[in-house]
């Protein structure tokens, strides 16, 4: 969506919109979707757009930096875990991938069950703590507004139109060609490691089908 705009000012407006979405997701404690949004707008193909970045307001840059730091992988997602702990038993949607990796690490490092077919009290407590992150958002009342099903269907259709990394990079270069002095990060600032891999570009017939469905869905919203 950012790269669909042809001028830096227009692209900056889209980035600002997503930063505002990120702030709202943080307020709702929806960390999983927040990771997806911030991971997208800090991806290397977006963060390399220096002209676009120069159009962002200082406050927007500050807010984006704060959200990026919150989701940083530093210290094993230390800032995110602090924020999660501070919520206590309040409703939240955790970053699913982070806690799945915790579960994998816990089971791979434990040899109790493999050797004696038993699990220690400490191991059981650790497992319960990890699983609690998945249980709490099904047991607590959320504070989400009523879902707009037409909008959800529109988003589902748009997500079916995918591009590979090479296509996105080429579009990024067309928007802002490389310069001699430009520094381009080779990796995203924030990106879900467990979400690597992008589907290949769809054929034109499939794309046209989804675009038509999206237009129909949007028309129902008006």
């Amino acid at each position: 969506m950012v790269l669909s705009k042809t001028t830096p000012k227009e692209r900056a407006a889209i980035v600002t919109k997503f930063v505002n979405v990120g702030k709202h997701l943080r307020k709702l404690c929806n960390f999983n979707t927040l990771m997806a949004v911030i991971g997208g707008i800090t991806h290397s193909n977006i963060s390399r757009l220096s002209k676009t970045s120069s159009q962002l307001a200082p406050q927007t840059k500050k807010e984006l930096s704060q959200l990026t730091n919150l989701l940083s992988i530093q210290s094993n997602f230390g800032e995110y875990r602090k924020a999660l702990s501070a919520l206590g038993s309040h409703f939240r949607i955790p970053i699913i991938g982070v806690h799945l990796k915790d579960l994998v690490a816990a089971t791979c490092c434990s040899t109790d069950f493999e050797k004696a077919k038993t699990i220690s009290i400490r191991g059981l407590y650790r497992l319960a703590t990890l699983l609690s992150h998945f249980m709490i958002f099904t047991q607590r009342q959320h504070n989400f507004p009523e879902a707009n099903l037409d909008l959800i269907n529109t988003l589902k259709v748009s997500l079916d139109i995918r591009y590979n990394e090479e296509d996105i990079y080429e579009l990024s270069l067309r928007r802002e060609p490389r310069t001699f002095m430009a520094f381009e990060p080779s990796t995203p600032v924030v990106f879900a490691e467990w979400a690597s891999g992008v589907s290949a570009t769809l054929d034109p017939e499939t794309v046209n089908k989804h675009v038509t469905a999206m237009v129909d869905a949007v028309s129902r919203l008006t």
Side-chain angles (χ1 to χ4, degrees):
M1 186 175 289
V2 175
L3 294 175
S4 68
K5 303 302 180 181
T6 57
T7 68
K9 186 175 182 179
E10 290 175 324
R11 291 192 292 272
I14 298 298
V15 172
T16 300
K17 178 68 174 178
F18 277 116
V19 171
N20 290 333
V21 170
K23 288 163 53 182
H24 189 61
L25 290 169
R26 175 64 181 92
K27 187 180 298 184
L28 294 174
C29 300
N30 186 346
F31 295 102
N32 196 59
T33 307
L34 177 61
M35 170 63 90
V37 170
I38 300 303
I41 59 177
T42 58
H43 190 276
S44 58
N45 290 323
I46 303 298
S47 62
R48 64 168 296 277
L49 303 175
S50 57
K51 294 179 181 178
T52 300
S53 180
S54 68
Q55 294 293 318
L56 294 175
Q59 182 62 25
T60 300
K61 291 182 179 180
K62 179 181 178 181
E63 292 166 346
L64 177 57
S65 177
Q66 290 172 340
L67 292 173
T68 301
N69 290 335
L70 172 65
L71 302 173
S72 171
I73 63 175
Q74 296 297 320
S75 302
N76 192 20
F77 294 92
E79 292 301 316
Y80 159 70
R81 294 182 192 276
K82 288 179 184 177
L84 204 64
S85 177
L87 290 173
S89 60
H90 291 289
F91 175 84
R92 85 290 299 271
I93 298 181
I95 303 175
I96 304 299
V98 170
H99 302 290
L100 285 177
K101 290 174 72 175
D102 287 346
L103 282 170
V104 171
T107 54
C108 288
C109 294
S110 176
T111 58
D112 293 346
F113 187 77
E114 289 296 326
K115 290 181 178 180
K117 302 301 179 183
T118 61
I119 185 170
S120 66
I121 296 297
R122 181 180 179 182
L124 188 61
Y125 178 78
R126 170 67 173 162
L127 187 61
T129 300
L130 294 174
L131 290 174
S132 68
H133 294 298
F134 298 97
M135 298 295 294
I136 197 166
F137 67 88
T138 64
Q139 298 173 342
R140 297 289 186 273
Q141 182 65 36
H142 65 74
N143 56 348
F144 295 165
E146 186 176 350
N148 184 325
L149 295 181
D150 284 332
L151 180 58
I152 290 174
N153 290 332
T154 301
L155 292 173
K156 286 181 178 179
V157 171
S158 66
L159 290 174
D160 282 338
I161 305 175
R162 303 179 184 180
Y163 304 90
N164 59 39
E165 286 290 330
E166 184 177 349
D167 291 337
I168 297 173
Y169 181 60
E170 289 298 325
L171 181 56
S172 177
L173 286 178
R174 288 201 298 271
R175 293 296 182 241
E176 293 188 25
R178 283 179 294 192
T179 60
F180 179 73
M181 296 298 294
F183 169 75
E184 298 180 13
S186 58
T187 56
V189 178
V190 174
F191 196 70
E193 297 174 358
W194 54 88
S196 59
V198 183
S199 299
T201 306
L202 297 175
D203 61 271
E205 183 179 351
T206 304
V207 171
N208 288 334
K209 180 187 70 174
H210 287 305
V211 169
T212 300
M214 186 188 301
V215 171
D216 291 340
V218 171
S219 66
R220 290 197 297 270
L221 295 176
T222 59

